[in-house]
């Protein structure tokens, strides 16, 4: 079994090299790679406006700059950067209770009325393991004048456009760092139909902008997103079937990692890290953890693997390593 950490495609690396050698780059002028990346990113999410920035957290910081007092986040399964950026801007963060990360639109509706946030920051997947009912969440937010910000770092190119769809989010942000669905090694973006959100963060956006090489990478790598996300979803489904005897959180939901309940997650995490030989990185996350699940569990991050190694043979081997490790401990 050869497992390889996700990396940008060859075409993406070539596009980045070409951009680095582009002699038409004139400092101070607008780079053609920036416009090309903004165009394809806004076409992908369906939003009218797009900005490319240096990282996912830069995108969150820029969007956060549009708010003043209070934002809302899920009580687990979100991204810790939401709270950190709110703290940085001295904005209060309030939480909405979830069903292990999954947002119930009725509960959200009550909490939105009671807590009156300006925005609700979510990730498309609860903890990368279960798709959120984003359309229903959007309807609650829209009815109550709350800006829904969807972090679609894991879901760009999602099948049937259920996630990362500009019709169901006021703002979409994403990281294009490693090992995200659009993996360029660095960068991120913001898309929206609300010009005011980009206008109010105009100055900070200028400070956080991405270089043309990253933009060239995003414009190329985003073309692979539908295939990458579909193959990753499928590999998680197969892995869950092979682990039928184990307790898996959100077993019946679509996700891009697989979360296994464990009495001793630290030990299991340690053993699995040694069991999986991944060239270039790791695929094990130990919970409880805000970004995943506040339960004792270990996540196998199939999303971190290069899609070329998400074949039946490797998924079978991964399942055997998990089952053997659990049996011998
Ligand atoms: C869901 C999510 N959003 C944002 C980020 C931050 O992205 P970046 O590392 O590009 O700042 C991450 C990083 O892991 C993430 O998982």
């Amino acid at each position: 079994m050869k497992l390889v950490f996700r990396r940008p495609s060859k075409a993406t690396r070539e596009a980045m090299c070409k951009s680095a050698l582009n002699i038409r780059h004139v400092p101070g002028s607008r780079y053609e790679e920036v416009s090309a990346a903004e165009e394809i990113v806004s076409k992908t999410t369906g939003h009218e406006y797009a900005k490319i920035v240096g990282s996912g957290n830069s995108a969150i910081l820029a969007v956060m700059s549009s708010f003043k007092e209070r934002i809302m986040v899920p009580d687990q399964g979100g991204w810790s950067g939401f709270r950190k950026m709110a703290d940085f801007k001295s904005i209060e963060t309030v939480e909405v209770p979830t069903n292990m990360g999954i947002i119930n639109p009725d509960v959200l509706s009550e909490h939105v009325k009671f807590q009156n946030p300006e925005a609700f920051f979510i990730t498309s997947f609860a903890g990368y393991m279960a798709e959120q009912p984003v359309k229903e969440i959007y309807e609650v937010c829209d009815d109550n004048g709350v800006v829904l910000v969807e972090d679609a770092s894991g879901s760009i190119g999602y099948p049937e456009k259920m996630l990362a769809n500009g019709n169901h989010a006021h703002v979409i942000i994403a990281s294009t760092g490693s090992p995200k669905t659009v993996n360029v090694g660095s960068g991120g973006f913001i898309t929206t139909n609300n010009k005011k959100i980009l206008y109010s963060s105009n100055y900070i956006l200028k400070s956080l902008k991405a270089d043309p090489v990253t933009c060239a990478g995003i414009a190329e790598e985003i073309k692979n997103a539908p295939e990458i996300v579909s193959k990753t979803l499928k590999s998680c489904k197969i892995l869950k079937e092979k682990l039928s005897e184990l307790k898996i959180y959100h077993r019946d939901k679509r996700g891009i990692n697989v979360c296994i309940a464990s009495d001793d997650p630290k030990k299991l995490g340690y053993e699995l890290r040694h069991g999986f030989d991944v060239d270039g990185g790791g695929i094990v996350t130990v919970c409880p953890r805000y970004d995943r699940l506040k339960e004792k569990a270990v996540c196998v991050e199939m999303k971190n693997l290069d899609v070329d190694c998400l074949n039946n043979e490797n998924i079978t081997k991964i399942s055997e390593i998990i089952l053997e490790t659990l049996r011998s401990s």
Side-chain angles (χ1 to χ4, degrees):
M1 173 174 74
K2 183 155 169 51
L3 298 179
V4 179
F5 202 64
R6 187 168 287 177
R7 54 187 171 199
S9 68
K10 190 160 181 283
T12 297
R13 283 177 273 146
E14 278 169 1
M16 293 171 86
C17 288
K18 199 171 150 209
S19 168
L21 295 170
N22 185 353
I23 52 163
R24 277 176 297 175
H25 284 160
V26 182
S29 70
R30 190 169 164 78
Y31 298 115
E32 58 194 307
E33 291 90 340
V34 178
S35 310
E38 286 176 355
E39 198 179 309
I40 192 162
V41 160
S42 86
K43 208 167 144 199
T44 305
T45 66
H47 276 144
E48 199 175 346
Y49 307 107
K51 285 281 172 208
I52 314 292
V53 288
S55 69
N57 280 331
S58 302
I60 295 165
L61 177 60
V63 174
M64 198 64 74
S65 305
S66 316
F67 309 115
K68 289 188 175 58
E69 281 176 22
R70 188 176 307 121
I71 59 135
M72 186 179 263
V73 297
D75 66 353
Q76 56 185 306
W79 167 240
S80 49
F82 301 154
R83 187 185 291 278
K84 286 186 190 139
M85 292 305 166
D87 285 352
F88 182 66
K89 298 288 301 176
S90 301
I91 294 171
E92 185 193 358
T93 307
V94 292
E95 288 185 349
V96 62
T98 63
N99 176 13
M100 298 208 197
I102 298 183
I103 297 146
N104 177 328
D106 296 332
V107 175
L108 175 64
S109 179
E110 276 169 38
H111 276 259
V112 153
K113 288 189 177 90
F114 170 64
Q115 312 219 57
N116 203 17
E118 293 159 87
F120 186 34
F121 282 72
I122 62 165
T123 45
S124 313
F125 295 102
Y128 283 116
M129 67 196 78
E131 57 192 6
Q132 293 282 12
V134 177
K135 186 167 181 282
E136 289 84 349
I137 294 169
Y138 171 71
E139 281 159 10
V140 172
C141 289
D142 203 48
D143 287 350
N144 289 280
V146 175
V147 177
L148 177 64
V149 183
E150 180 187 355
D151 180 333
S153 300
S155 69
I156 297 295
Y158 204 69
E160 301 124 46
K161 296 220 175 267
M162 286 168 64
L163 307 176
N165 179 344
N167 291 327
H168 309 152
H170 299 101
V171 182
I172 291 178
I173 68 104
S175 164
T176 56
S178 174
K180 302 296 182 301
T181 296
V182 181
N183 179 5
V184 177
S186 73
F189 62 77
I190 307 165
T191 73
T192 183
N193 288 335
N194 186 340
K195 212 175 181 175
K196 265 203 321 216
I197 286 185
L198 292 183
Y199 184 74
S200 60
S201 38
N202 198 20
Y203 191 73
I204 194 149
L205 273 173
K206 276 190 185 152
S207 331
L208 299 172
K209 70 183 178 202
D211 59 86
V213 174
T214 299
C215 291
I218 292 174
E220 188 58 41
E221 188 66 18
I222 203 166
K223 295 176 193 162
N224 304 325
E227 188 199 342
I228 288 176
V229 79
S230 296
K231 282 195 175 164
T232 313
L233 288 165
K234 196 170 160 209
S235 72
C236 288
K237 187 170 182 280
I238 297 171
L239 181 58
K240 285 185 206 175
E241 282 162 10
K242 290 187 187 292
L243 300 176
S244 58
E245 65 210 75
L246 303 185
K247 179 175 174 188
I248 306 283
Y249 286 103
H250 299 306
R251 177 182 277 285
D252 300 328
K253 302 272 183 200
R254 293 204 284 188
I256 54 173
N257 67 8
V258 174
C259 187
I260 306 161
S262 166
D263 291 335
D264 193 347
K266 267 195 187 159
K267 182 167 173 262
L268 179 62
Y270 176 84
E271 287 170 353
L272 287 180
R273 265 188 207 114
H274 285 81
F276 300 134
D277 182 15
V278 184
D279 181 10
I283 57 165
V284 174
T285 310
V286 173
C287 300
R289 172 183 292 253
Y290 175 79
D291 299 336
R292 300 289 185 275
L293 195 67
K294 285 186 181 167
E295 301 289 332
K296 285 161 82 179
V298 171
C299 294
V300 179
E301 310 285 347
M302 300 300 276
K303 68 180 183 62
N304 292 7
L305 291 172
D306 205 87
V307 281
D308 288 345
C309 54
L310 294 179
N311 53 45
N312 226 336
E313 192 191 329
N314 282 345
I315 301 168
T316 303
K317 191 73 196 142
I318 289 172
S319 72
E320 284 168 3
I321 290 172
I322 295 168
L323 292 170
E324 270 163 32
T325 306
L326 279 165
R327 260 180 229 129
S328 63
S329 66

